[in-house]
Amino acid sequence: NAGVTQTPKFQVLKTGQSMTLQCAQDMNHNSMYWYRQDPGMGLRLIYYSASEGTTDKGEVPNGYNVSRLNKREFSLRLESAAPSQTSVYFCASSEDVGGLRSYEQYFGPGTRLTVT
Amino acid sequence: SQQGEEDPQALSIQEGENATMNCSYKTSINNLQWYRQNSGRGLVHLILIRSNEREKHSGRLRVTLDTSKKSSSLLITASRAADTASYFCATDVGIGNQFYFGTGTSLTVIP
């Protein structure tokens, strides 16, 4: 099993350019997440998808859009990149949620994005 | 924000010593998890403790949870150089499977 994979690993964009970050998982998880990690800020949730066909905003959704293409894939799109979006982006997945039960999240290796 | 905060921000110890890091959070939680992140890598789940548990062990890891103080601690016993990493606590918000991550403790274990 590859677990959670992300592409690309590195990306440099100019202000105003657009791009899509790809994420895929092969663990048959229903839930998928996109986080950004900035120095001294920890991880902040951008968007999440509790199941195929559903997406919800997290803590910092502005400037981003997501697509849950199918159960395996969850993409993050920056329509018009800004320097403030320079960050490391992590995709994660987890098993179903039920009541108060929670499950560990499995993380991809990250995408390092620089916007100049 | 319900973000947890780890303390200390950085910790440097000798191999073989114990490492203790703490996490404080602001609101009631269902669960709390600890993750490790090696430099340049994704996070790896270490241990989950539920709100009705007070202590949990996994190998050299010991986690405690004090819901009255809204705090948790992670103890790594007999540390090794390979334990060098950043450690994050993550608290749930009771909505789906969303977690808020803290800012992390950077642990350096000197051989």
Side-chain angles (χ1 to χ4, degrees):
Chain A
N1 284 351
V4 179
T5 57
Q6 293 182 236
T7 56
K9 286 189 168 57
F10 301 93
Q11 183 72 48
V12 178
L13 291 178
K14 294 188 188 314
T15 297
Q17 288 185 320
S18 62
M19 78 161 294
T20 300
L21 280 65
Q22 306 286 354
C23 173
Q25 51 90 11
D26 61 1
M27 296 172 282
N28 203 37
H29 288 167
N30 276 347
S31 299
M32 297 186 73
Y33 311 80
W34 277 106
Y35 293 91
R36 60 178 289 174
Q37 184 177 32
D38 302 296
M41 296 290 292
L43 274 77
R44 291 182 292 170
L45 182 66
I46 304 171
Y47 271 94
Y48 70 101
S49 170
S51 62
E52 185 179 350
T54 68
T55 61
D56 286 284
K57 295 178 180 179
E59 190 181 0
V60 288
N62 291 345
Y64 305 94
N65 285 302
V66 290
S67 294
R68 184 73 183 269
L69 305 170
N70 47 55
K71 192 170 186 178
R72 288 188 64 248
E73 298 172 289
F74 188 37
S75 63
L76 178 72
R77 182 160 178 84
L78 286 71
E79 291 291 351
S80 179
S84 61
Q85 294 178 306
T86 293
S87 188
V88 182
Y89 291 86
F90 288 99
C91 177
S93 70
S94 67
E95 294 184 73
D96 276 87
V97 204
L100 296 178
R101 296 159 66 192
S102 298
Y103 298 87
E104 67 180 274
Q105 297 189 12
Y106 295 80
F107 283 80
T111 293
R112 283 144 186 81
L113 175 67
T114 301
V115 183
T116 60
Chain B
S1 170
Q2 300 188 42
Q3 188 179 42
E5 292 185 5
E6 286 89 345
D7 171 61
Q9 288 188 335
L11 180 61
S12 184
I13 60 174
Q14 297 289 331
E15 201 165 31
E17 293 181 337
N18 295 342
T20 300
M21 51 206 87
N22 304 296
C23 169
S24 59
Y25 55 91
K26 296 178 181 177
T27 63
S28 296
I29 62 169
N30 295 318
N31 305 284
L32 184 145
Q33 298 184 32
W34 284 91
Y35 286 80
R36 184 183 77 193
Q37 183 180 34
N38 290 88
S39 181
R41 309 290 291 272
L43 278 73
V44 174
H45 180 264
L46 295 176
I47 197 165
L48 179 152
I49 187 165
R50 303 190 189 283
S51 59
N52 61 353
E53 297 175 311
R54 292 296 168 258
E55 187 170 313
K56 205 159 182 181
H57 296 255
S58 177
R60 293 184 295 113
L61 304 181
R62 173 177 165 249
V63 169
T64 61
L65 178 64
D66 187 335
T67 53
S68 66
K69 294 181 180 177
K70 293 187 172 58
S71 68
S72 173
S73 67
L74 170 66
L75 169 67
I76 304 174
T77 60
S79 62
R80 306 167 181 167
D83 294 329
T84 294
S86 292
Y87 292 82
F88 295 87
C89 67
T91 54
D92 78 302
V93 298
I95 302 173
N97 200 26
Q98 292 187 68
F99 280 79
Y100 278 101
F101 285 81
T103 52
T105 291
S106 176
L107 173 65
T108 302
V109 181
I110 303 166

